[in-house]
Amino acid sequence: MATLHATTVQALQSNKLSLLTTWIESLEASGATRNVKEADLKQQANDFLNTLIAALEQGGSQNVNHENWAETRVLLEKLSHSRALVGQDSQQTASFIFALKGPLFALLQREYAEQPAQLAEQLWEISELLDALGMHTIRTFQKSRELVIKRQQEELLELSTPVVKLWDGVLALPMIGTLDSQRTQVVMESLLQRIVDTGAEIAIIDITGVPTVDTLVAQHLLKTVTAIRLMGADCIISGVRPQIAQTIVHLGLDLQGVVTKANLADALALSLKRLGVTVTKAV
Amino acid sequence: MTLASNGTHPVLIEQDVVLARQLVRKLAQDCGMRLIDLTKLVTAVSELARNTVVYGGGGYMDWEIVERDLRSGVRLTFRDEGPGIPDIKLAMTDGWTSGGGLGLGLTGAKRLVDEFELDTAPGQGTRVTITRWS
Amino acid sequence: MERIPILQMGEFLLVTIQVDMHDQLALTLQDDLSERINRTSARGVLIDISALDMVDSFIGRMIGTISGLSRIMDAQTVLVGMQPAVAITLVELGMTLPGVATALNVERGMKLLRERVENS
């Protein structure tokens, strides 16, 4: 494999400023600068050119996975991560690299005007290099996006599962909407943790807002009840709809030892009774 | 899938079961595994390592940190040169035991991990491979 | 030889398990406890496992056995402090420890133990 000539690297170095200007112009023209501050863009473009030239000056490998390119790779990873956060798509992010091709090719054409064979070779090399760097940017962009999505999913899960304190020693978990197995698991885990944190003796799982349950979810519910008992607290399930009761019986799940109440109020009344609390109307 | 690191841990005597648990706990922590998943994995290790000592007459636990997509995980293989298991179907039944246990070792361990593979034949020893993703 | 200490508080025995137990240690504890219940005529046993980050089927079985043994010897057993992750794992493993009384912490456990002894 041919390498980039010292002349090419030299040309890059001495024309850095004009290269930077035309590159940023073409970036702006392509719309790849949306949501990116101008100062940041200039800084990033400048840093990239510096690490690119530094890596090329070290000579040796043009394989972007080589350690000479570590600094450039880190720079691009940071860049694509920040682009993902401001909501750019992968095309806009990758344009950062690909928009450099035009200005670079023009530069090389001037530099090697008299040597067409050399020009073709160097164009090919620099093009390969930029493609590899561009691909790296897209890959890390994708990874960053997936992380953002994963975090948002987790946040949503936690938001949709509030554990509330009803009374000193009584926690309630009002579940709303369709339960899938993953959500049930997360909710149940947070309920168990809250029991330890608060020292609550009784936990009420209210499923009034749950239209249906499938086998897996029903099993998760029962496992949670058992786990709560093992930890030394009691669990009451309230608001079991007729359809859900039918499902549970139909599935042959054993509800023995599970206390159920028609609604949350009844469950609270039972909890207070167990705690030895009586509620009376004043006057 | 890429391999980040791996090793082998002897599971010859009872004390090795405790050491295997501690090693796997460390590996799972390094993978950033959630406490609940970590606890399940370590418990599965305890069951399988005990089987290796008690029924397999001792053996080894091969461990590796595996990565797939954005997730990392712990993969473990328990292997012994013991008598093997004649009836896999029976051994994978809840509550069935050939020894004095509760019969929850193999089936219980299977429920605690994401991937479970059992390779055994009479006189050929036993290999159990489990994976738990973080 | 390595042993889990058993403390005596009046008519109750208190065991706090703080080490990662190997099987022999668990069996020794089981023997020691039944011997102590017999010798001291203890009425209750409190087992604190809040420091345990794992309970497998062997330790689970030991707890069940201690509970059963003590009942025959006219003592009540209360298990306290099981961590959420441990509880979820035990249930997944298929061990629900039926018949073993539980409480959130030592204080609640002592209260429950007194109630159970009074009623027995």
Side-chain angles (χ1 to χ4, degrees), chain A residues 252-272:
Chain A
L253 295 173
D254 185 12
L255 270 179
Q256 257 190 349
V258 178
V259 181
T260 51
K261 283 282 152 196
N263 54 53
L264 188 55
D266 287 355
L268 178 61
L270 176 65
S271 311
L272 293 179

PDB file of all heavy atoms in Angstrom, chain A residues 252-272:
ATOM      1  N   GLY A 252     -53.961 -21.240  36.590  1.00  0.00           N
ATOM      2  CA  GLY A 252     -53.659 -22.204  37.639  1.00  0.00           C
ATOM      3  C   GLY A 252     -52.600 -21.711  38.605  1.00  0.00           C
ATOM      4  O   GLY A 252     -51.904 -22.494  39.243  1.00  0.00           O
ATOM      5  N   LEU A 253     -52.434 -20.368  38.697  1.00  0.00           N
ATOM      6  CA  LEU A 253     -51.421 -19.834  39.616  1.00  0.00           C
ATOM      7  C   LEU A 253     -51.946 -19.910  41.043  1.00  0.00           C
ATOM      8  O   LEU A 253     -53.117 -19.659  41.295  1.00  0.00           O
ATOM      9  CB  LEU A 253     -51.093 -18.379  39.251  1.00  0.00           C
ATOM     10  CG  LEU A 253     -50.436 -18.208  37.887  1.00  0.00           C
ATOM     11  CD1 LEU A 253     -50.307 -16.735  37.549  1.00  0.00           C
ATOM     12  CD2 LEU A 253     -49.076 -18.879  37.873  1.00  0.00           C
ATOM     13  N   ASP A 254     -51.050 -20.261  41.934  1.00  0.00           N
ATOM     14  CA  ASP A 254     -51.438 -20.458  43.318  1.00  0.00           C
ATOM     15  C   ASP A 254     -51.395 -19.133  44.067  1.00  0.00           C
ATOM     16  O   ASP A 254     -50.338 -18.567  44.290  1.00  0.00           O
ATOM     17  CB  ASP A 254     -50.482 -21.466  43.956  1.00  0.00           C
ATOM     18  CG  ASP A 254     -50.920 -21.799  45.369  1.00  0.00           C
ATOM     19  OD1 ASP A 254     -52.053 -21.430  45.734  1.00  0.00           O
ATOM     20  OD2 ASP A 254     -50.121 -22.417  46.093  1.00  0.00           O
ATOM     21  N   LEU A 255     -52.580 -18.647  44.449  1.00  0.00           N
ATOM     22  CA  LEU A 255     -52.629 -17.374  45.172  1.00  0.00           C
ATOM     23  C   LEU A 255     -52.740 -17.594  46.676  1.00  0.00           C
ATOM     24  O   LEU A 255     -53.056 -16.673  47.416  1.00  0.00           O
ATOM     25  CB  LEU A 255     -53.807 -16.540  44.676  1.00  0.00           C
ATOM     26  CG  LEU A 255     -53.508 -15.611  43.501  1.00  0.00           C
ATOM     27  CD1 LEU A 255     -54.748 -14.862  43.073  1.00  0.00           C
ATOM     28  CD2 LEU A 255     -52.416 -14.611  43.847  1.00  0.00           C
ATOM     29  N   GLN A 256     -52.480 -18.803  47.091  1.00  0.00           N
ATOM     30  CA  GLN A 256     -52.567 -19.084  48.518  1.00  0.00           C
ATOM     31  C   GLN A 256     -51.549 -18.258  49.289  1.00  0.00           C
ATOM     32  O   GLN A 256     -50.409 -18.133  48.870  1.00  0.00           O
ATOM     33  CB  GLN A 256     -52.319 -20.563  48.772  1.00  0.00           C
ATOM     34  CG  GLN A 256     -53.614 -21.288  49.037  1.00  0.00           C
ATOM     35  CD  GLN A 256     -53.367 -22.693  49.523  1.00  0.00           C
ATOM     36  OE1 GLN A 256     -52.264 -23.197  49.469  1.00  0.00           O
ATOM     37  NE2 GLN A 256     -54.424 -23.319  50.003  1.00  0.00           N
ATOM     38  N   GLY A 257     -52.002 -17.718  50.384  1.00  0.00           N
ATOM     39  CA  GLY A 257     -51.092 -16.934  51.191  1.00  0.00           C
ATOM     40  C   GLY A 257     -50.945 -15.504  50.698  1.00  0.00           C
ATOM     41  O   GLY A 257     -50.250 -14.706  51.294  1.00  0.00           O
ATOM     42  N   VAL A 258     -51.621 -15.174  49.578  1.00  0.00           N
ATOM     43  CA  VAL A 258     -51.573 -13.796  49.097  1.00  0.00           C
ATOM     44  C   VAL A 258     -52.861 -13.099  49.533  1.00  0.00           C
ATOM     45  O   VAL A 258     -53.959 -13.598  49.288  1.00  0.00           O
ATOM     46  CB  VAL A 258     -51.461 -13.739  47.560  1.00  0.00           C
ATOM     47  CG1 VAL A 258     -51.452 -12.299  47.083  1.00  0.00           C
ATOM     48  CG2 VAL A 258     -50.217 -14.463  47.098  1.00  0.00           C
ATOM     49  N   VAL A 259     -52.692 -11.963  50.215  1.00  0.00           N
ATOM     50  CA  VAL A 259     -53.859 -11.232  50.669  1.00  0.00           C
ATOM     51  C   VAL A 259     -54.317 -10.286  49.567  1.00  0.00           C
ATOM     52  O   VAL A 259     -53.522  -9.502  49.055  1.00  0.00           O
ATOM     53  CB  VAL A 259     -53.533 -10.426  51.951  1.00  0.00           C
ATOM     54  CG1 VAL A 259     -54.762  -9.690  52.434  1.00  0.00           C
ATOM     55  CG2 VAL A 259     -52.988 -11.343  53.026  1.00  0.00           C
ATOM     56  N   THR A 260     -55.591 -10.371  49.188  1.00  0.00           N
ATOM     57  CA  THR A 260     -56.109  -9.465  48.162  1.00  0.00           C
ATOM     58  C   THR A 260     -57.283  -8.672  48.731  1.00  0.00           C
ATOM     59  O   THR A 260     -58.025  -9.162  49.570  1.00  0.00           O
ATOM     60  CB  THR A 260     -56.597 -10.243  46.919  1.00  0.00           C
ATOM     61  OG1 THR A 260     -57.474 -11.273  47.344  1.00  0.00           O
ATOM     62  CG2 THR A 260     -55.436 -10.861  46.168  1.00  0.00           C
ATOM     63  N   LYS A 261     -57.395  -7.435  48.246  1.00  0.00           N
ATOM     64  CA  LYS A 261     -58.504  -6.583  48.666  1.00  0.00           C
ATOM     65  C   LYS A 261     -59.112  -5.954  47.420  1.00  0.00           C
ATOM     66  O   LYS A 261     -58.427  -5.750  46.416  1.00  0.00           O
ATOM     67  CB  LYS A 261     -58.001  -5.486  49.610  1.00  0.00           C
ATOM     68  CG  LYS A 261     -57.726  -5.968  51.018  1.00  0.00           C
ATOM     69  CD  LYS A 261     -59.023  -6.110  51.811  1.00  0.00           C
ATOM     70  CE  LYS A 261     -58.883  -7.186  52.883  1.00  0.00           C
ATOM     71  NZ  LYS A 261     -60.181  -7.604  53.403  1.00  0.00           N
ATOM     72  N   ALA A 262     -60.414  -5.623  47.524  1.00  0.00           N
ATOM     73  CA  ALA A 262     -61.123  -5.115  46.360  1.00  0.00           C
ATOM     74  C   ALA A 262     -60.548  -3.788  45.877  1.00  0.00           C
ATOM     75  O   ALA A 262     -60.418  -3.549  44.678  1.00  0.00           O
ATOM     76  CB  ALA A 262     -62.607  -4.961  46.672  1.00  0.00           C
ATOM     77  N   ASN A 263     -60.193  -2.911  46.806  1.00  0.00           N
ATOM     78  CA  ASN A 263     -59.656  -1.616  46.388  1.00  0.00           C
ATOM     79  C   ASN A 263     -58.607  -1.114  47.378  1.00  0.00           C
ATOM     80  O   ASN A 263     -58.403  -1.684  48.429  1.00  0.00           O
ATOM     81  CB  ASN A 263     -60.784  -0.594  46.222  1.00  0.00           C
ATOM     82  CG  ASN A 263     -61.622  -0.515  47.481  1.00  0.00           C
ATOM     83  OD1 ASN A 263     -61.095  -0.316  48.572  1.00  0.00           O
ATOM     84  ND2 ASN A 263     -62.932  -0.701  47.337  1.00  0.00           N
ATOM     85  N   LEU A 264     -57.980  -0.019  46.998  1.00  0.00           N
ATOM     86  CA  LEU A 264     -56.870   0.524  47.777  1.00  0.00           C
ATOM     87  C   LEU A 264     -57.316   0.939  49.179  1.00  0.00           C
ATOM     88  O   LEU A 264     -56.596   0.754  50.157  1.00  0.00           O
ATOM     89  CB  LEU A 264     -56.260   1.716  47.018  1.00  0.00           C
ATOM     90  CG  LEU A 264     -54.964   2.310  47.565  1.00  0.00           C
ATOM     91  CD1 LEU A 264     -53.893   1.250  47.698  1.00  0.00           C
ATOM     92  CD2 LEU A 264     -54.472   3.422  46.645  1.00  0.00           C
ATOM     93  N   ALA A 265     -58.547   1.484  49.276  1.00  0.00           N
ATOM     94  CA  ALA A 265     -59.052   1.936  50.582  1.00  0.00           C
ATOM     95  C   ALA A 265     -59.161   0.763  51.542  1.00  0.00           C
ATOM     96  O   ALA A 265     -58.746   0.854  52.708  1.00  0.00           O
ATOM     97  CB  ALA A 265     -60.416   2.613  50.405  1.00  0.00           C
ATOM     98  N   ASP A 266     -59.708  -0.347  51.050  1.00  0.00           N
ATOM     99  CA  ASP A 266     -59.835  -1.542  51.900  1.00  0.00           C
ATOM    100  C   ASP A 266     -58.454  -2.042  52.331  1.00  0.00           C
ATOM    101  O   ASP A 266     -58.262  -2.484  53.461  1.00  0.00           O
ATOM    102  CB  ASP A 266     -60.574  -2.658  51.148  1.00  0.00           C
ATOM    103  CG  ASP A 266     -62.055  -2.352  51.025  1.00  0.00           C
ATOM    104  OD1 ASP A 266     -62.489  -1.336  51.601  1.00  0.00           O
ATOM    105  OD2 ASP A 266     -62.758  -3.114  50.328  1.00  0.00           O
ATOM    106  N   ALA A 267     -57.512  -1.978  51.395  1.00  0.00           N
ATOM    107  CA  ALA A 267     -56.158  -2.446  51.695  1.00  0.00           C
ATOM    108  C   ALA A 267     -55.524  -1.572  52.770  1.00  0.00           C
ATOM    109  O   ALA A 267     -54.874  -2.071  53.687  1.00  0.00           O
ATOM    110  CB  ALA A 267     -55.302  -2.435  50.433  1.00  0.00           C
ATOM    111  N   LEU A 268     -55.750  -0.249  52.683  1.00  0.00           N
ATOM    112  CA  LEU A 268     -55.209   0.661  53.688  1.00  0.00           C
ATOM    113  C   LEU A 268     -55.864   0.400  55.042  1.00  0.00           C
ATOM    114  O   LEU A 268     -55.193   0.370  56.076  1.00  0.00           O
ATOM    115  CB  LEU A 268     -55.423   2.121  53.255  1.00  0.00           C
ATOM    116  CG  LEU A 268     -54.936   3.162  54.261  1.00  0.00           C
ATOM    117  CD1 LEU A 268     -53.439   3.027  54.509  1.00  0.00           C
ATOM    118  CD2 LEU A 268     -55.268   4.572  53.801  1.00  0.00           C
ATOM    119  N   ALA A 269     -57.182   0.171  55.017  1.00  0.00           N
ATOM    120  CA  ALA A 269     -57.904  -0.104  56.256  1.00  0.00           C
ATOM    121  C   ALA A 269     -57.317  -1.341  56.940  1.00  0.00           C
ATOM    122  O   ALA A 269     -57.064  -1.337  58.147  1.00  0.00           O
ATOM    123  CB  ALA A 269     -59.391  -0.300  55.973  1.00  0.00           C
ATOM    124  N   LEU A 270     -57.071  -2.371  56.153  1.00  0.00           N
ATOM    125  CA  LEU A 270     -56.496  -3.604  56.705  1.00  0.00           C
ATOM    126  C   LEU A 270     -55.102  -3.343  57.275  1.00  0.00           C
ATOM    127  O   LEU A 270     -54.758  -3.817  58.358  1.00  0.00           O
ATOM    128  CB  LEU A 270     -56.440  -4.691  55.627  1.00  0.00           C
ATOM    129  CG  LEU A 270     -55.762  -6.001  56.045  1.00  0.00           C
ATOM    130  CD1 LEU A 270     -56.554  -6.702  57.145  1.00  0.00           C
ATOM    131  CD2 LEU A 270     -55.581  -6.934  54.857  1.00  0.00           C
ATOM    132  N   SER A 271     -54.302  -2.537  56.530  1.00  0.00           N
ATOM    133  CA  SER A 271     -52.945  -2.227  56.982  1.00  0.00           C
ATOM    134  C   SER A 271     -52.972  -1.524  58.332  1.00  0.00           C
ATOM    135  O   SER A 271     -52.207  -1.860  59.239  1.00  0.00           O
ATOM    136  CB  SER A 271     -52.223  -1.322  55.977  1.00  0.00           C
ATOM    137  OG  SER A 271     -52.357  -1.825  54.687  1.00  0.00           O
ATOM    138  N   LEU A 272     -53.886  -0.539  58.447  1.00  0.00           N
ATOM    139  CA  LEU A 272     -53.962   0.222  59.697  1.00  0.00           C
ATOM    140  C   LEU A 272     -54.365  -0.694  60.845  1.00  0.00           C
ATOM    141  O   LEU A 272     -53.844  -0.597  61.957  1.00  0.00           O
ATOM    142  CB  LEU A 272     -54.964   1.374  59.536  1.00  0.00           C
ATOM    143  CG  LEU A 272     -54.532   2.469  58.558  1.00  0.00           C
ATOM    144  CD1 LEU A 272     -55.605   3.543  58.444  1.00  0.00           C
ATOM    145  CD2 LEU A 272     -53.210   3.091  58.987  1.00  0.00           C
TER     146      LEU A 272
END
